[in-house]
Amino acid sequence: MAAPGEEQDEMARYRSPLVSRYASAEMAYNFSERKKFGTWRRLWLYLAQAEKSLGLSITDEQIREMETNLDNIDFKMAAEEEKKLRHDVMAHVHTFAHCCPKAAAIIHLGATSCYVGDNTDLIVLRDGFNLLLPKLARVISRLADFAEKYAAMPALGFTHYQPAQLTTVGKRCCLWIQDLCMDLQNLERARDDLRFRGVKGTTGTQASFLQLFEGDHSKVEELDRLVTEKAGFKRAYMVTGQTYSRKVDIGVLAVLASLGASIHKICTDIRLLANLKEIEEPFEKDQIGSSAMPYKRNPMRSERCCSLARHLMTLVMDPLQTAAVQWFERTLDDSANRRVCLAEAFLTADIILSTLQNVSEGLVVYPKVIERRIRQELPFMATENIIMAMVKAGGNRQDCHEKIRVLSQQAAAVVKQEGGDNDFIARVRADPYFSPIHKQLESLLDPSSFTGRAPQQVAKFLKEEVRPALIPYQSKMGGKVELAL
């Protein structure tokens, strides 16, 4: 083990599995130091450009110097400066100024730390949503194709995880899709509701900028508008303290937590169906399900989604508590917490969407198993149809009901006590009482006659609600996703 202070290799350091094991390169970059500090420099450039356009004494040469060095970040120098100053923003002001000596005097002019800190966070949150939304749309698209393919395939429905009326494989999938479509709308709304903090000063009063512009309120308002526009936002929050309201973070993580709940439900269903051997997630040729039981085909992708979705759902508690304890214009006990929970929420959502896409692209259906389960349960479900057919043939409903009650109890005893197959229909066929409808039994037991409007519901739902919601993402629908470790 390396002694304290000695240089350690990467394998001797803890690394978050969210980044080292699972997350996409794009999402990992979105929350990287390079993206963060590069955005700080761009915000300083936007501020200087806007201040110059409104008449402050800033030269074209200073602007060009800043533009040239946006990505020329000396991270080692910045770390040394932060160690000395104990202030990350000022460390990067000094580091930027070092490579922009002519612009040094006007970098961060009139601004407070939250000008770069909070505005960068809002940019990163917006960009995070823009990464997640196409991934969610792809999952919905893959599941929609699956639902369409199996729209009419009867399957045993479950309520309370007990056999219920029949549904179809595609209709059940539409329950998953509908939840994800709600999440798509929620994520779009949360992204579009984000505003820029803008140029507000130390306690949100814009006092420093009013002083810079010698009391000209219109120029301060225009400065705020110009910088907001340069950062790609349509609106800024009209009032802030030193920070934007931490309720914004609640809204962001709440929709991600809701997405986590949807995916947990979907993947739990898939895990249960895998146990029933009706539907399985993809299982690769050389994949090992168990180190001790070589025959096993564990649903590890769905289990991963459930595991990480639980983490995602809990993260919303952080911004809830943070918003509750922000005293007056702000306290700094939000900072360390937000560094963790905001990044982890997006990284986790990114991972489970990629994994679910992989699952949805390779779902395996076993029709014979599904048919067998229907045959085991359908005879009991068909009793009402049999009674109605007998009444139409001239029978007495009460007499028929009693006959069926006795036969069904006998068949149930065979299933439960002897472990045999459901022989209810065989008993009906053998009973002369039911001879008037013996020829109708096949049609009365046709599974498709028990699925109601499920196929029509699938077709209408996909056509009118799902496919239109995916139109904005059509250009990003292609390509399969490779499963992470």
Side-chain angles (χ1 to χ4, degrees):
M1 180 178 290
E6 288 185 12
E7 186 174 349
Q8 298 178 328
D9 65 50
E10 283 301 308
M11 301 308 292
R13 292 174 175 269
Y14 172 77
R15 296 181 299 162
S16 169
L18 293 177
V19 174
S20 66
R21 190 173 177 90
Y22 299 128
S24 68
E26 296 82 4
M27 191 61 80
Y29 172 75
N30 191 51
F31 287 92
S32 69
E33 299 289 90
R34 185 168 295 281
K35 167 79 177 272
K36 174 182 176 179
F37 297 128
T39 304
W40 284 12
R41 291 194 174 189
R42 283 164 176 77
L43 287 168
W44 282 320
L45 173 64
Y46 300 156
L47 181 63
Q49 289 172 330
E51 288 174 337
K52 178 181 183 299
S53 71
L54 292 169
L56 293 191
S57 182
I58 296 172
T59 67
D60 290 337
E61 188 175 24
Q62 289 173 314
I63 296 295
R64 283 195 300 272
E65 190 178 53
M66 293 174 73
E67 290 173 335
T68 303
N69 288 282
L70 288 176
D71 298 310
N72 179 26
I73 303 174
D74 186 338
F75 287 99
K76 183 177 179 181
M77 178 182 176
E80 291 170 351
E81 287 287 329
E82 184 173 354
K83 186 175 181 180
K84 179 174 63 177
L85 301 173
R86 309 298 295 178
H87 197 289
D88 56 350
V89 173
M90 287 309 300
H92 278 270
V93 168
H94 288 191
T95 304
F96 196 19
H98 180 76
C99 57
C100 298
K102 294 175 183 175
I106 56 93
I107 293 173
H108 199 66
L109 182 59
T112 187
S113 298
C114 285
Y115 167 70
V116 289
D118 270 31
N119 282 325
T120 292
D121 286 344
L122 290 161
I123 290 170
V124 167
L125 295 179
R126 178 197 64 194
D127 293 351
F129 278 127
N130 285 334
L131 290 172
L132 291 180
L133 281 162
K135 292 190 174 190
L136 176 53
R138 282 198 295 272
V139 170
I140 294 171
S141 175
R142 304 305 190 263
L143 290 175
D145 292 342
F146 179 87
E148 189 170 48
K149 181 177 180 180
Y150 294 101
M153 180 182 283
L156 184 63
F158 291 93
T159 58
H160 313 272
Y161 199 38
Q162 301 299 314
Q165 287 189 349
L166 299 192
T167 182
T168 69
V169 173
K171 170 63 190 299
R172 175 179 284 144
C173 183
C174 284
L175 299 179
W176 303 341
I177 295 170
Q178 182 166 251
D179 286 352
L180 293 177
C181 285
M182 293 180 191
D183 293 314
L184 188 74
Q185 292 175 340
N186 289 340
L187 264 65
E188 288 173 338
R189 184 178 64 250
R191 178 199 59 190
D192 296 343
D193 283 349
L194 286 174
R195 301 190 194 184
F196 203 51
R197 177 190 175 273
V199 183
K200 297 296 195 295
T202 54
T203 58
T205 65
Q206 299 178 303
S208 58
F209 297 104
L210 192 62
Q211 185 175 2
L212 280 174
F213 288 104
E214 298 179 346
D216 190 330
H217 289 269
S218 64
K219 285 191 174 181
V220 175
E221 289 188 7
E222 181 65 4
L223 177 70
D224 203 3
R225 189 194 68 78
L226 285 172
V227 175
T228 297
E229 185 180 81
K230 287 176 182 291
F233 286 82
K234 295 179 179 179
R235 297 183 299 170
Y237 296 107
M238 293 185 69
V239 294
T240 72
Q242 190 171 88
T243 69
Y244 67 79
S245 170
R246 294 310 184 218
K247 283 187 72 67
V248 174
D249 295 343
I250 297 173
V252 169
L253 265 64
V255 298
L256 297 181
S258 183
L259 171 65
S262 298
I263 293 178
H264 196 294
K265 193 269 191 222
I266 293 167
C267 290
T268 299
D269 282 358
I270 292 172
R271 292 164 66 189
L272 293 169
L273 290 167
N275 174 262
L276 298 174
K277 297 181 175 60
E278 292 191 7
I279 293 178
E280 287 182 343
E281 65 179 40
F283 196 90
E284 294 164 16
K285 180 175 177 291
D286 297 322
Q287 184 175 330
I288 295 174
S290 167
S291 62
M293 294 168 280
Y295 59 86
K296 292 195 74 179
R297 291 169 65 95
N298 297 335
M300 68 90 172
R301 294 165 171 83
S302 298
E303 289 173 315
R304 176 186 299 171
C305 285
C306 289
S307 182
L308 290 172
R310 287 201 300 272
H311 178 59
L312 179 55
M313 287 186 282
T314 65
L315 289 173
V316 71
M317 291 304 301
D318 277 334
L320 281 168
Q321 295 184 68
T322 294
V325 299
Q326 284 298 286
W327 304 345
F328 303 113
E329 280 64 49
R330 79 86 53 100
T331 61
L332 196 62
D333 64 348
D334 64 338
S335 178
N337 185 286
R338 294 176 70 252
R339 287 176 193 267
V340 176
C341 71
L342 295 180
E344 287 201 354
F346 279 87
L347 289 164
T348 306
D350 177 73
I351 295 159
I352 59 178
L353 283 173
S354 295
T355 308
L356 184 56
Q357 181 184 335
N358 179 268
V359 170
S360 62
E361 287 172 345
L363 284 172
V364 180
V365 178
Y366 295 106
K368 296 299 182 183
V369 178
I370 295 173
E371 290 171 11
R372 182 175 183 273
R373 183 156 285 109
I374 290 174
R375 287 198 303 271
Q376 290 174 333
E377 301 294 341
L378 189 60
F380 292 152
M381 297 177 192
T383 54
E384 184 64 23
N385 288 10
I386 293 173
I387 291 174
M388 298 306 295
M390 282 294 295
V391 170
K392 288 180 181 179
N396 179 282
R397 187 191 182 282
Q398 272 54 258
D399 293 340
C400 184
H401 184 281
E402 179 59 19
K403 285 277 189 180
I404 286 178
R405 186 189 70 81
V406 173
L407 296 181
S408 63
Q409 293 293 333
Q410 292 170 349
V414 171
V415 173
K416 295 178 180 179
Q417 297 174 20
E418 301 176 19
D421 291 332
N422 189 331
D423 63 359
F424 172 72
I425 296 301
R427 293 175 185 273
V428 171
R429 289 187 188 281
D431 193 323
Y433 176 81
F434 293 99
S435 58
I437 63 165
H438 280 170
K439 292 181 179 179
Q440 300 178 45
L441 285 177
E442 287 298 326
S443 61
L444 291 175
L445 290 167
D446 179 5
S448 64
S449 68
F450 290 82
T451 59
R453 297 192 64 254
Q456 291 75 22
Q457 287 180 352
V458 171
K460 186 177 178 68
F461 174 59
L462 295 181
K463 179 182 178 181
E464 297 185 10
E465 292 197 22
V466 179
R467 303 296 187 190
L470 300 180
I471 290 173
Y473 306 98
Q474 287 298 330
S475 64
K476 299 179 180 179
M477 286 297 182
K480 290 193 173 185
V481 68
E482 291 297 322
L483 182 67
L485 288 175

